[in-house]
Amino acid sequence: MTHEDLQDTMMKIVDKAEIDLKNLLEQYNEKARKGEIKSIDGELEDEHEIDDTDLIYGIAALQSTIESILEM
């Protein structure tokens, strides 16, 4: 496996993780809109949605870390 192959593979992992996390957030937000979110104790939580802004920064940090590893 070449360095470029490794880099492509790692970036595909980042892209897949981003898609999976966005889908998970959308599922959570859909349940929040319907009032179906429960706490660990089984109590209904107040309706609140999660903004994906933090997700964007998290994915960028993950990508930056992978790029740093690849530069070694």
Side-chain angles (χ1 to χ4, degrees), residues 9-65:
T9 299
M10 294 180 93
M11 289 305 133
K12 286 178 185 174
I13 291 169
V14 170
D15 291 342
K16 174 95 171 79
E18 181 177 13
I19 290 167
D20 290 346
L21 289 171
K22 283 183 177 181
N23 288 337
L24 184 62
L25 279 177
E26 185 52 39
Q27 289 174 17
Y28 177 90
N29 288 339
E30 183 65 29
K31 285 186 175 192
R33 287 188 282 277
K34 294 178 180 177
E36 298 174 355
I37 300 299
K38 295 183 179 181
S39 69
I40 293 173
D41 300 330
E43 300 294 321
L44 285 175
E45 293 283 335
D46 292 335
E47 180 179 325
H48 63 284
E49 294 186 31
I50 299 175
D51 187 343
D52 67 351
T53 305
D54 291 332
L55 173 63
I56 292 166
Y57 291 118
I59 294 297
L62 175 60
Q63 187 171 356
S64 175
T65 302

Side-chain angles (χ1 to χ4, degrees), residues 59-71:
I59 294 297
L62 175 60
Q63 187 171 356
S64 175
T65 302
I66 287 175
E67 288 171 356
S68 295
I69 292 169
L70 292 172
E71 289 175 3

